[in-house]
Amino acid sequence: EPETPIPTEPETSLISPSSDDAQTLTADLGLSPSQHLQIVHLCTLICEWNDRINLVSRKDCSPEVVFHRHVLPSLALSSLLEDGNGESSGNDNGNVVDVGTGGGFPGLPLAILQPQTSFLLVDSVNKKLTAIDDMIQ
């Protein structure tokens, strides 16, 4: 008797960070339209820097991949920065340290989402910190 193939889940299609669908996603995560534009720009900068130094992946880096694999999961962590009522716990004196930030994740997207919070991104690889410093300018 022939074996029945096991169904596999369809591949997730990547969306452009500048698309309306992406803007809807980020709005649902609490980003304003201007913050969304910062995220779009960040995806481009990550790819530009990744061409020079390995920030995320030498083999598979595009704005769509950065948005899907790095930005959205980073923004999903924003609930860790909320109080028990779902409100941002970041106040003018809030501080967050991202140890081992690598290419700036999750620190950079979270800093865009919560500009009132002070973020310190730490990594042992100085060239990655140079790239991050350039991207935040």
Side-chain angles (χ1 to χ4, degrees):
E1 184 171 314
E3 289 187 28
T4 306
I6 299 171
T8 58
E9 292 189 33
E11 263 191 58
T12 304
S13 59
L14 300 177
I15 60 172
S16 168
S18 57
S19 70
D20 290 342
D21 288 341
Q23 188 162 2
T24 299
L25 279 172
T26 59
D28 289 347
L29 291 169
L31 274 78
S32 69
S34 65
Q35 288 171 315
H36 176 80
L37 290 176
Q38 289 178 285
I39 290 292
V40 171
H41 188 59
L42 175 64
C43 291
T44 301
L45 290 173
I46 291 288
C47 292
E48 289 173 2
W49 269 100
N50 198 64
D51 287 343
R52 292 182 251 169
I53 63 172
N54 189 20
L55 288 178
V56 291
S57 170
R58 288 268 188 209
K59 295 186 300 183
D60 196 14
C61 187
S62 68
E64 295 80 11
V65 168
V66 170
F67 183 72
H68 180 78
R69 292 189 189 160
H70 302 286
V71 171
L72 289 178
S74 296
L75 293 173
L77 296 174
S78 66
S79 63
L80 297 175
L81 304 177
E82 295 173 352
D83 64 18
N85 299 317
E87 297 293 324
S88 169
S89 62
N91 55 43
D92 290 336
N93 298 321
N95 297 297
V96 174
V97 178
D98 175 3
V99 178
T101 192
F105 300 102
L108 291 178
L110 289 173
I112 290 170
L113 177 62
Q114 298 211 357
Q116 74 283 2
T117 302
S118 176
F119 284 83
L120 176 63
L121 281 61
V122 179
D123 201 274
S124 63
V125 181
N126 195 46
K127 63 184 178 180
K128 291 183 179 184
L129 295 175
T130 299
I132 290 167
D133 189 50
D134 180 76
M135 287 187 280
I136 62 173
Q137 297 307 320

